[in-house]
């Protein structure tokens, strides 16, 4: 099948002839052209008669004018393309007669009103643009030509010279305007074009503002949803933490009950009756006093009570309490490992480090006294005599300190 157009390989534009391809190359610097069997579209507006060569042009024309009825005359106007570059006119009549049948001569620049063309050129329009405007506006008036230029100023071929078949004639031109009228008309048309452009810019700005408002609302909604999800996650996490703390407290309570039962067993006491715990604390007249002997609290229990009292007295500063426990553990451990070293068995009470860590906390010095330390030299020192070092007591003290440090609920229940 013969080629019906030339296709630009750089931008995809379809061109009717070699001349159009040359003009396209000069305007765009594109040089990759190939023959195509696809004809150049010729969609004519059924309302105003404007020809459009692509779907993009019809969309732009519809957007500018509102015209939507187009007649497809592509097949009617499609002709095989001549790939030969047209030759210049022959010098003599014989050569001119032999070249008259060239297909390239079937297309020519349309004839337009010379006066209207001159007036458009005097207004600053290029010749090709003015010719195209007069041709496609019907070559009727200066106002119609200027309006056409305003509507098609973004067309890619706005500055290409139009080509029409030689058998198409332009209607007789109407009388032109006087220079003064041309000047006033040009000023009026420019002002109209400026207002139209400003109105379009204002419309686009309103559209952009609507888009910004919509995007802002979507962003706020997304942020609100994210905050709501984060709040639900925190609530669920706190609930899980409370459940875990509740289970830990229950385990500790059970362990304390077991320890209490074990102590009663070691003391030779009968198991505690659960129903007895709900009876009034004060005995009634008919109740008899227990005749079972009750042993005094052991030293380990007194140490535990001392540490519990220390923590409760300073419950607002967990770091200070933990440091005091660790310092006491160091003192007790040093004596247990080196009972013969006097420096580990003697503590100056007014030592700043000792006062900060242990001495200033209620219960610290009492715990050391339970371990065997005694105040000497008018209360200036705490001293543990060598003969009073009881390794079992020191081990018991270390065990109680370790329990107080490791157990997060020590002193709470």
């Amino acid at each position: 099948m013969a080629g019906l157009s030339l296709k630009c390989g750089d931008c995809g534009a379809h061109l009717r002839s070699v001349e159009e391809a040359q003009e396209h190359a000069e305007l765009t610097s594109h040089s990759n052209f190939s023959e195509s069997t696809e004809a150049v579209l010729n969609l004519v507006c059924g309302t105003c008669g404007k020809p459009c060569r692509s779907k993009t042009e019809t969309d732009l024309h519809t957007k500018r004018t509102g015209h939507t009825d187009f007649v497809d005359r592509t097949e009617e106007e499609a002709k095989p393309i001549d790939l030969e570059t047209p030759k210049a006119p022959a010098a003599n009549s014989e050569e001119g007669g032999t070249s008259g049948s060239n297909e390239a001569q079937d297309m020519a620049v349309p004839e337009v009103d010379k006066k209207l063309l001159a007036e458009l050129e005097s207004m600053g329009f290029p010749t090709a643009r003015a010719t195209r405007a007069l041709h496609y506006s019907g070559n009727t008036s200066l106002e119609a030509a200027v309006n056409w230029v305003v509507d098609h100023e973004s067309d890619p071929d706005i500055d290409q010279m139009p080509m029409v078949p030689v058998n198409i004639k332009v209607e007789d031109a109407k009388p032109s305007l006087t220079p003064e009228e041309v000047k006033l008309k040009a000023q009026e048309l420019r002002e109209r074009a400026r207002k139209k452009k400003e109105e379009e810019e204002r419309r686009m700005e309103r559209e952009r503002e609507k888009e910004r408002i919509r995007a802002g609302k979507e962003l706020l909604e997304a942020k609100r949803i994210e905050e709501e999800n984060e709040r639900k996650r925190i609530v669920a996490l706190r609930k899980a933490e409370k459940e875990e703390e509740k289970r830990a407290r229950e385990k500790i309570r059970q362990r304390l009950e077991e320890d209490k039962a074990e102590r009663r067993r070691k003391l030779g006491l009968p198991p505690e009756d659960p129903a007895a715990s709900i009876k009034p604390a004060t005995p009634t007249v008919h109740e008899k006093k227990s005749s079972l002997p009750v042993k005094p609290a052991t030293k380990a229990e007194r140490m535990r009570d001392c540490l519990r009292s220390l923590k409760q007295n300073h419950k607002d500063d967990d770091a200070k309490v933990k440091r005091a426990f660790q310092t006491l553990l160091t003192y007790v451990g040093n004596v247990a490992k080196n009972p013969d070293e006097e420096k580990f068995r003697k503590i100056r009470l007014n030592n700043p480090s000792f006062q900060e860590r242990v001495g200033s906390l209620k219960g610290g010095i009492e715990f050391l006294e339970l371990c065997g330390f005694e105040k000497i030299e008018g209360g200036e020192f705490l001293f543990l005599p060598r003969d009073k070092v009881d390794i079992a007591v020191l081990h018991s003290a270390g065990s109680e300190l370790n329990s107080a440090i490791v157990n997060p609920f020590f002193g709470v229940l």
Side-chain angles (χ1 to χ4, degrees):
M1 183 177 180
L4 298 178
S5 66
L6 289 176
K7 182 178 181 180
C8 177
D10 296 319
C11 65
H14 288 270
L15 308 164
R16 285 196 180 100
S17 64
V18 176
E19 291 90 337
E20 289 191 15
Q22 290 175 345
E23 292 179 3
H24 182 76
E26 292 175 359
L27 292 173
T28 63
S29 300
H30 297 168
S31 58
N32 183 17
F33 297 93
S34 60
E35 187 177 6
S36 174
T37 57
E38 183 180 353
V40 178
L41 285 177
N42 187 15
L43 304 174
V44 181
C45 178
T47 305
C48 64
K50 179 187 181 303
C52 299
R53 299 177 60 174
S54 66
K55 186 66 170 56
T56 303
E57 288 189 25
T58 60
D59 293 341
L60 290 173
H61 183 70
T62 301
K63 183 178 180 180
R64 293 186 181 114
T65 64
H67 301 165
T68 57
D69 185 17
F70 293 90
V71 179
D72 189 354
R73 296 180 180 176
T74 303
E75 297 298 332
E76 300 175 10
E77 300 292 336
K79 295 181 180 180
I81 192 169
D82 184 7
L83 299 180
E84 296 294 334
T85 305
K87 298 181 180 179
N92 51 53
S93 59
E94 293 179 358
E95 292 178 355
T98 58
S99 61
S101 61
N102 196 322
E103 291 184 0
Q105 294 179 354
D106 291 340
M107 303 294 290
V109 177
E111 295 183 2
V112 296
D113 191 320
K114 302 298 182 183
K115 292 183 179 180
L116 294 178
L117 179 63
E119 290 173 359
L120 288 173
E121 290 178 345
S122 67
M123 293 169 64
F125 295 104
T127 302
R129 183 178 297 192
T131 303
R132 179 175 288 270
L134 286 171
H135 171 65
Y136 287 120
S137 64
N139 200 31
T140 56
S141 66
L142 185 66
E143 180 180 0
V146 173
N147 287 337
W148 188 93
V149 171
V150 171
D151 291 338
H152 297 79
E153 60 182 354
S154 60
D155 291 357
D157 57 350
I158 186 67
D159 289 320
Q160 294 182 13
M161 189 66 73
M163 303 295 292
V164 297
V166 294
N167 57 352
I168 296 179
K169 296 183 179 180
V170 181
E171 298 179 357
D172 295 337
K174 295 183 179 180
S176 60
L177 303 175
T178 63
E180 292 78 8
E181 292 175 337
V182 169
K183 186 175 180 181
L184 292 175
K185 198 67 175 178
Q187 183 177 0
E188 178 184 352
L189 294 176
R190 286 197 181 96
E191 182 66 19
R192 187 183 303 172
R194 183 185 63 81
K195 291 181 178 179
K196 184 177 181 180
K197 186 175 181 180
E198 290 178 353
E199 179 63 26
E200 182 67 17
E201 290 178 353
R202 286 194 293 269
R203 186 185 67 80
M204 293 300 295
E205 180 62 26
R206 288 194 296 269
E207 293 295 329
R208 286 192 291 267
E209 183 64 22
K210 290 180 181 179
E211 180 63 21
R212 284 195 293 268
I213 293 174
R214 184 191 64 79
K217 289 182 178 179
E218 291 182 355
L219 182 61
L220 290 176
E221 180 65 16
K223 186 176 180 181
R224 185 191 66 78
I225 293 174
E226 182 180 358
E227 291 176 350
E228 180 68 16
N229 292 336
E230 180 66 15
R231 186 187 66 79
K232 291 180 179 179
R233 188 187 67 81
I234 292 175
V235 170
L237 182 61
R238 288 178 177 174
K239 184 177 180 181
E241 289 177 350
K242 288 182 179 179
E243 293 293 333
E244 183 65 24
E245 182 178 351
K246 183 178 179 181
R247 288 192 294 268
R249 288 176 179 271
E250 182 62 24
K251 289 181 180 180
I252 293 173
R253 189 190 64 77
Q254 293 178 0
R255 186 170 179 178
L256 291 175
E257 292 292 337
E258 293 173 358
D259 292 344
K260 187 176 180 180
E262 180 65 19
R263 288 196 300 271
R264 292 180 65 85
R265 186 185 63 79
K266 290 181 178 180
L267 292 173
L269 298 175
E272 184 178 7
D273 186 4
S277 59
I278 62 175
K279 292 182 179 180
T282 57
T284 62
V285 179
H286 303 287
E287 288 179 343
K288 296 182 179 180
K289 295 183 179 180
S290 175
S291 60
L292 296 175
V294 178
K295 296 182 180 180
T298 62
K299 185 170 286 189
E301 292 175 345
R302 293 166 60 192
M303 290 180 180
R304 189 181 305 117
D305 293 338
C306 183
L307 295 177
R308 186 179 294 110
S309 175
L310 189 149
K311 184 169 184 177
Q312 291 177 350
N313 289 331
H314 305 279
K315 59 183 178 180
D316 295 333
D317 195 344
D318 291 339
K320 180 180 288 188
V321 172
K322 187 173 182 180
R323 185 174 58 181
F325 288 168
Q326 291 173 345
T327 303
L328 291 172
L329 184 61
T330 301
Y331 285 137
V332 172
N334 287 337
V335 176
K337 294 176 183 177
N338 306 281
D340 295 330
E341 293 289 340
E342 183 178 345
K343 64 179 181 179
F344 294 131
R345 292 184 283 106
K346 190 172 184 179
I347 304 172
R348 183 185 295 274
L349 291 176
N350 59 2
N351 183 284
S353 178
F354 175 80
Q355 282 293 325
E356 180 184 0
R357 294 173 177 267
V358 178
S360 61
L361 277 67
K362 184 178 180 180
I365 296 178
E366 290 80 351
F367 182 85
L368 291 173
E369 289 177 342
L370 290 173
C371 295
F373 283 86
E374 302 173 354
K375 292 182 180 180
I376 61 172
E377 298 183 14
E380 185 178 355
F381 291 93
L382 278 176
F383 182 69
L384 177 58
R386 179 63 183 88
D387 57 348
K388 293 186 178 180
V389 174
D390 190 341
I391 299 299
V393 173
L394 295 177
H395 284 174
S396 178
S399 176
E400 296 298 333
L401 286 168
N402 274 323
S403 176
I405 294 172
V406 174
N407 186 1
F409 299 103
F410 180 82
V412 177
L413 299 176

